[in-house]
Amino acid sequence: MSSTIGHRPTGVLKFGGSSFASAAHYRDVAAHIRARVEAGERLVVVVSGMPGATENLREIARSIDPGVSVEALHGVLPLADTIGAGLLRIALRGEGVDAVMLHGDRTGLRSDGTRHKAATLTGFDPAPLEEAFTRAPVVVLPGGQADDGGGTPAWLGKNSSDLSATALAGALGLKTCEIYSDVNGVYDADPRLVPEARRIPALSYEDVVLLGHHGAKVLHPEAVRAAQRHSVQIVCRLNTGEFEAGSVIDGVGDGIGVDSVIIDARSVVAEFGTSSEAELALAALESAGVPVSVPDWPGRHLVVVNGGFFDVRRCLDENGLTGEITDERMVTEVRAGHPVLHVAPTADTALDWGHRLHADLRDRASALV
């Protein structure tokens, strides 16, 4: 995907849902963007919905019809990001910034139009952005949406605003993409769960894909792959205060690997009676496009969906599989880029194990100094 846009943007900024916890946060982000426009920048701004907005829509849909289809959900869930983009445009106008908002089918991104699962990006049309930049220096887009080929927005899946941003940066030929969230980078554990966690200043694309696959709350793995394909450097920034930069993700250091501990409180562990049934479940879940791992646990046949936000029980039922969803959670210890999987009996145990593993990680690091 590449293009030559006459009124060329100078940057792509993506603001995650935590950036918009209140009306005041919209105004703060708008003021930050205003300062950059005043410095001469022309910006594509990719926006997520307010915290919990997507899951709230999912809950409402299921309260109306517990058996709501995936296709019907995909017609509703993207509205959270669309509303978020519209509200930021209002805040920008309030700051005196000319801004154009484009809806999900006008982002320039094209998809395969899949309806039964998250759509896949297939190309880029520069025309919508080209026209928008003739009218304003800022173009605001809802994240995670693309043209399905028939004039209807197609959803790219949960947490896919990152993917929109890096794909657009690559298609526009930009060298960097800035991702704003409530932490200024990638840490060696989730700082919300492990206060002693330390930020990792520089990571490779492969590092971040690995961490995300095992349930770390980092960038969408496909977003990182899109950046990697186009050699786009990802700069992580804090979404409040001075909006300072933190971790940088690029191709430098590929193959070195990081040390980290991932406490995946959202993981879903399913146990099966036979290895053949576990293999069928693995195939079904991989086909659905969710991150899956298989712990090597003697005497047990386990399949784990990492990161949550997927109805594992429904997927198993639809495929005639009778696996048991357990109360267990995954803790993954990453040593020099190599994952070691631990199955904790409960969420509380996972947190305790994670703290211990992180303390060991810090002790090892100190011993090398």
Side-chain angles (χ1 to χ4, degrees):
M1 298 188 296
S2 62
S3 71
T4 55
I5 286 186
H7 298 272
R8 178 168 293 280
T10 58
V12 174
L13 318 183
K14 180 262 178 174
F15 289 89
S18 62
S19 307
F20 307 113
S22 70
H25 286 80
Y26 279 97
R27 291 191 291 267
D28 291 344
V29 169
H32 173 66
I33 293 171
R34 182 198 65 209
R36 296 188 60 161
V37 171
E38 290 174 347
E41 296 192 65
R42 304 172 64 81
L43 302 171
V44 176
V45 182
V46 179
V47 180
S48 296
M50 297 180 77
T54 301
E55 291 312 304
N56 185 47
L57 288 173
R58 191 192 304 273
E59 290 175 10
I60 293 172
R62 287 181 171 167
S63 70
I64 296 170
D65 176 10
V68 59
S69 69
V70 172
E71 180 179 355
L73 277 175
H74 284 194
V76 172
L77 299 183
L79 295 176
D81 295 340
T82 300
I83 292 170
L87 292 175
L88 181 58
R89 179 177 180 267
I90 291 170
L92 287 165
R93 289 295 181 91
E95 288 288 328
V97 179
D98 287 334
V100 174
M101 175 187 165
L102 299 180
H103 287 264
D105 60 326
R106 298 287 293 165
T107 63
L109 296 171
R110 294 172 173 169
S111 77
D112 60 5
T114 302
R115 292 296 176 183
H116 66 280
K117 63 179 182 179
T120 301
L121 291 179
T122 58
F124 177 69
D125 176 10
L129 284 175
E130 171 124 88
E131 191 279 330
F133 273 111
T134 66
R135 295 185 280 143
V138 177
V139 179
V140 183
L141 310 174
Q145 299 180 45
D147 182 0
D148 71 348
T152 301
W155 196 42
L156 302 176
K158 181 72 178 176
N159 296 329
S160 55
S161 293
D162 291 342
L163 174 57
S164 295
T166 58
L168 284 166
L172 295 168
L174 299 175
K175 294 181 179 180
T176 63
C177 177
E178 299 172 53
I179 305 291
Y180 293 72
S181 68
D182 56 355
V183 291
N184 66 334
V186 180
Y187 283 67
D188 61 6
D190 187 337
R192 305 170 190 86
L193 302 176
V194 183
E196 301 81 13
R198 293 175 290 191
R199 180 173 56 85
I200 305 172
L203 304 92
S204 71
Y205 299 119
E206 296 297 337
D207 290 331
V208 182
V209 169
L210 174 69
L211 297 177
H213 179 84
H214 288 282
K217 294 180 181 179
V218 292
L219 282 79
H220 190 295
E222 286 304 311
V224 181
R225 290 297 188 204
Q228 185 177 30
R229 285 193 295 273
H230 296 282
S231 298
V232 172
Q233 183 184 72
I234 300 171
V235 178
C236 301
R237 287 185 176 273
L238 198 62
N239 59 16
T240 58
E242 298 299 317
F243 297 89
E244 69 264 21
S247 301
V248 173
I249 302 161
D250 55 27
V252 178
D254 272 345
I256 296 176
V258 296
D259 291 337
S260 180
V261 174
I262 304 164
I263 306 168
D264 190 0
R266 302 173 299 175
S267 57
V268 179
V269 180
E271 182 169 13
F272 300 88
T274 64
S275 59
S276 59
E277 190 173 27
E279 289 171 2
L280 290 172
L282 177 63
L285 291 164
E286 287 181 332
S287 177
V290 296
V292 185
S293 58
V294 181
D296 184 10
W297 205 261
R300 302 181 69 188
H301 308 291
L302 304 178
V303 176
V304 179
V305 172
N306 302 298
F309 301 119
F310 182 77
D311 192 339
V312 177
R313 179 73 271 161
R314 180 171 178 172
C315 180
L316 296 180
D317 290 345
E318 289 175 348
N319 287 275
L321 299 167
T322 57
E324 176 190 356
I325 305 297
T326 75
D327 292 328
E328 295 162 307
R329 297 291 186 272
M330 290 301 301
V331 179
T332 302
E333 181 183 13
V334 180
R335 297 186 179 185
H338 297 285
V340 179
L341 308 183
H342 305 273
V343 183
T346 66
D348 288 342
T349 307
L351 183 61
D352 181 56
W353 287 10
H355 277 273
R356 294 182 185 181
L357 288 168
H358 187 262
D360 290 344
L361 182 156
R362 294 188 65 180
D363 288 344
R364 292 197 304 272
S366 298
L368 294 174
V369 176

